[in-house]
Amino acid sequence: MKASELRGKDVAALEKEVTDLLKAHFGLRMQKATQQLSDTTQLGKVRRDIARAKTILAQKKKGAV
């Protein structure tokens, strides 16, 4: 997910996006723990997406963007 896509969303949509990404990250962690995850790079991608979404959410709450 690109930052420009996230900037177009409102605060409620960003909070939902963060929640969805956290659930996806949990699922990937469980797959990794049970040796079912074939593409381990997905974990890093989802973590970066979570950080990106949280950063933009904080900026919007602060009023910077």
Side-chain angles (χ1 to χ4, degrees), residues 26-43:
F26 178 78
L28 289 172
R29 284 191 351 245
M30 291 301 109
Q31 286 181 11
K32 183 180 179 200
T34 58
Q35 305 292 322
Q36 295 175 350
L37 184 63
S38 59
D39 184 16
T40 56
T41 60
Q42 287 178 326
L43 278 169

Side-chain angles (χ1 to χ4, degrees), residues 46-59:
V46 172
R47 271 189 25 223
R48 281 190 296 276
D49 285 344
I50 291 169
R52 193 174 293 122
K54 282 186 173 183
T55 299
I56 294 172
L57 179 62
Q59 289 174 349

